[in-house]
Amino acid sequence: MKHEISFTINGEKVHLEVEPNKTLLKMIREDLNLTGAKEGCGAGECGSCTIIIDGKAVNSCMMLAVEADGKDIMTVEGLAKSGVLDPLQDTFIKNAALQCGYCTPGMLMSAKALLMRNPNPSEDDIKEAIGGNLCRCTGYKVILDAIKEAAGQIN
Amino acid sequence: MKNFEYVKPSTMEAVADILQQYGDGAKILNGGTDLLVRMRDNLIKPQVVVDIKGISELRKIEYTEEGLFIGAAVTMNEVICSKIVLEKYRILAQSAHEVGSYQLRNRATIVGNVCNASPSGDTIAPLYVLSAKVKIFNKDGIRLVPIENFILGVRKIDLKSGEIVLGILLPPIKGQNGGSYYKHARRKDVDLATVAVAAFCNEGQWKIAYAAVAPTILRGPKAEEILNSLSEVDENTLIPAMDAATSEVTPISDVRAGKEYRLDMIRISLKRAVLAALELYK
Ligand SMILES: Cc1cc2nc3c(=O)[nH]c(=O)nc-3n(C[C@H](O)[C@H](O)[C@H](O)COP(=O)(O)OP(=O)(O)OC[C@H]3O[C@@H](n4cnc5c(N)ncnc54)[C@H](O)[C@@H]3O)c2cc1C
Ligand code: FES
Ligand code: FES
């Protein structure tokens, strides 16, 4: 039986009918056409599906779409506002903090959630926040730099 | 993932009714970080998934004269950030911090960890040394079971049809105490324990629990007895306790490590957990 759910995503109210066995990640990608969040492992290991729900970073592959009812969701598509990039997006570009880009939407959302709860994180705070985001290309150093720069710690 | 019916009741009675009606065909959904992975891999195919996150009493963390109650739907990150946990039961916050990744800890719960009853469940060994009790709801009333009796084997717990875990009760701790959890894993995040040890000392009396070295978490009565008999515990005097640790565990070889390596690492982990607990003893 399908369930009717309502939620906000990137500031927009959405009303949908979903099957219970659909993951939130699948709903976001296939029903809403927001393909930023990626499926890497589908099992909580890689973080490429990370989005922000009610201010908290979560793995959208490990949530059912029906669980999104009443929630406030932000995906990587909601970072830029009226064509202006988020400071994190700017510093990721400036530091070349991506190569293939597969991990990037998840990495950005983990970093965004961190800066939302703690605008001045230590290096350990940053490592904790992105510890669940695998990157097979960059070696992480440039990602740390980009997040520090977005937090105003280096320029 | 096979399709199923999803329900989100707002009372415990309603959850109990559904569990009774469907028996093994119903599964409780908490943070979902164990359940959804097992459903995705078709290891289990429930007819009904019962989301318990709509029940407000399961979201409470509350300190009373009975001790600290942590509701079933309280997440790892909520425990890690709880002032009262950090002040009085720090070892639990420390072990919760070892689970998975930051994102995962925003969903995963302590009670889910306990009900999953994995030998490498990170928060379980600390609950053993803190003498935690599991608070269980059924329609006839509430029962309290010591954690060591609740966990029966790999994914086997003392829960009857129609019963739901309400939360964990940690008894008050009187007097000087300190505890620490040492997890030995291949990497820092998103990895299960190869072996782990929880050590807790209260008024000179030690409690030790080992993880990932037997089908369930194990208490270490021999190591405890040796530590309790020492007039001073330091890295030299505790060597007999390290030897005792290897004699009271029964690890297997698997993808994470061989049996011999686990036996070596349980000694080292015991030492590190005990010394770290002493640092915090006050
Ligand atoms: C990528 C990844 C990494 C992980 N890393 C770790 C790790 O480092 N350490 C670790 O210990 N674990 C780890 N886990 C396992 C898991 O995250 C934890 O066991 C977690 O605490 C489970 O909690 P949950 O709320 O998500 O449980 P759920 O998946 O919702 O539930 C787990 C089980 O308990 C039952 N259940 C839940 N609540 C109740 C209740 N109130 N009453 C009765 N039954 C109930 C469910 O029906 C289910 O069978 C990892 C999992 C993943 C996917
Ligand atoms: S796809 Fe969700 S964590 Fe890998
Ligand atoms: S840029 Fe390729 S995985 Fe991170």
Side-chain angles (χ1 to χ4, degrees):
Chain A
M1 191 188 78
K2 285 199 175 186
H3 284 255
E4 262 193 52
I5 58 170
S6 314
F7 53 90
T8 309
I9 186 159
N10 302 326
E12 248 177 79
K13 285 208 159 61
V14 178
H15 220 68
L16 266 184
E17 280 199 341
V18 290
E19 289 287 353
N21 67 340
K22 184 173 267 184
T23 66
L24 180 56
L25 175 62
K26 209 165 176 176
M27 177 192 84
I28 288 173
R29 290 179 54 85
E30 294 178 7
D31 299 339
L32 304 177
N33 261 323
L34 298 169
T35 54
K38 305 274 184 281
E39 179 162 297
C41 63
E45 311 262 353
C46 74
S48 68
C49 65
T50 305
I51 60 170
I52 298 178
I53 298 189
D54 293 343
K56 292 177 183 155
V58 296
N59 302 307
S60 59
C61 71
M62 299 236 291
M63 260 182 89
L64 299 174
V66 282
E67 292 183 88
D69 191 31
K71 302 275 193 263
D72 185 16
I73 304 176
M74 179 158 69
T75 67
V76 73
E77 288 87 350
L79 275 185
K81 295 273 178 321
S82 338
V84 181
L85 293 184
D86 185 271
L88 277 164
Q89 291 171 305
D90 272 330
T91 59
F92 265 62
I93 295 168
K94 192 172 151 205
N95 289 275
L98 60 150
Q99 288 178 34
C100 79
Y102 202 85
C103 71
T104 313
M107 204 61 92
L108 281 167
M109 297 319 278
S110 283
K112 181 70 184 175
L114 168 68
L115 297 184
M116 281 161 59
R117 68 180 177 269
N118 177 3
N120 194 15
S122 67
E123 180 152 322
D124 280 347
D125 293 335
I126 300 176
K127 286 184 177 167
E128 179 196 37
I130 63 168
N133 293 82
L134 285 187
C135 176
R136 298 291 79 169
C137 302
T138 63
Y140 302 102
K141 169 84 174 65
V142 279
I143 295 176
L144 288 175
D145 289 346
I147 298 172
K148 284 181 195 164
E149 186 172 341
Q153 295 172 353
I154 29 173
N155 28 57
Chain B
M1 208 181 331
K2 283 267 178 355
N3 219 343
F4 50 84
E5 240 184 276
Y6 168 89
V7 286
K8 191 174 179 183
S10 52
T11 66
M12 294 299 288
E13 286 76 12
V15 178
D17 283 340
I18 297 162
L19 293 180
Q20 232 144 24
Q21 189 187 339
Y22 287 87
D24 276 350
K27 286 281 174 234
I28 290 181
L29 171 67
N30 205 338
T33 61
D34 277 313
L35 187 76
L36 293 180
V37 174
R38 289 170 55 72
M39 285 171 58
R40 168 183 178 267
D41 297 341
N42 284 321
L43 296 172
I44 43 171
K45 296 164 197 164
Q47 270 175 283
V48 187
V49 167
V50 191
D51 190 345
I52 56 170
K53 293 187 292 293
I55 301 168
S56 53
E57 62 182 301
L58 300 183
R59 309 208 64 107
K60 279 195 305 203
I61 292 197
E62 196 174 49
Y63 195 71
T64 66
E65 67 273 14
E66 273 190 306
L68 183 71
F69 173 77
I70 301 174
V74 173
T75 65
M76 297 284 176
N77 273 345
E78 283 162 356
V79 166
I80 294 165
C81 294
S82 155
K83 275 214 183 83
I84 186 95
V85 175
L86 288 171
E87 190 188 310
K88 296 189 189 291
Y89 307 97
R90 192 184 165 280
I91 185 174
L92 185 63
Q94 188 196 2
S95 67
H97 196 251
E98 293 287 345
V99 174
S101 62
Y102 188 85
Q103 295 97 303
L104 192 98
R105 295 192 291 272
N106 272 336
R107 301 285 297 171
T109 63
I110 304 256
V111 165
N113 202 224
V114 167
C115 291
N116 196 51
S118 153
S120 54
D122 277 312
T123 64
I124 308 175
L127 293 174
Y128 272 50
V129 299
L130 291 171
S131 310
K133 294 196 171 86
V134 182
K135 200 169 181 179
I136 299 165
F137 174 95
N138 63 49
K139 284 179 87 180
D140 299 326
I142 284 175
R143 60 186 184 105
L144 273 175
V145 184
I147 181 95
E148 290 179 45
N149 301 344
F150 181 73
I151 305 233
L152 303 174
V154 180
R155 270 200 204 92
K156 289 201 179 65
I157 51 177
D158 173 22
L159 208 61
K160 296 176 190 75
S161 167
E163 289 192 322
I164 307 120
V165 175
L166 272 171
I168 299 289
L169 189 66
L170 299 171
I173 304 166
K174 296 197 182 72
Q176 286 195 304
N177 67 85
S180 192
Y181 180 68
Y182 184 78
K183 174 178 180 176
H184 183 70
R186 295 163 303 177
R187 59 192 172 118
K188 203 167 171 303
D189 285 283
V190 205
D191 195 9
L192 298 177
T194 302
V195 300
V197 174
F200 181 70
C201 185
N202 186 193
E203 298 279 271
Q205 294 298 300
W206 286 90
K207 282 192 183 158
I208 301 292
Y210 310 112
V213 286
T216 66
I217 305 299
L218 289 181
R219 276 285 292 281
K222 288 190 202 163
E224 289 172 3
E225 202 185 308
I226 294 168
L227 290 167
N228 289 342
S229 71
L230 296 173
S231 51
E232 193 164 332
V233 178
D234 61 36
E235 59 180 311
N236 297 317
T237 60
L238 65 67
I239 290 172
M242 293 164 64
D243 296 335
T246 55
S247 75
E248 52 192 350
V249 299
T250 53
I252 53 163
S253 295
D254 67 7
V255 287
R256 270 182 283 284
K259 179 181 167 187
E260 290 72 24
Y261 182 73
R262 281 200 163 93
L263 285 171
D264 267 351
M265 288 308 114
I266 203 76
R267 298 180 82 247
I268 307 294
S269 302
L270 177 87
K271 172 167 134 185
R272 292 185 181 168
V274 167
L275 294 179
L278 278 178
E279 295 261 308
L280 294 164
Y281 191 73
K282 59 173 191 274

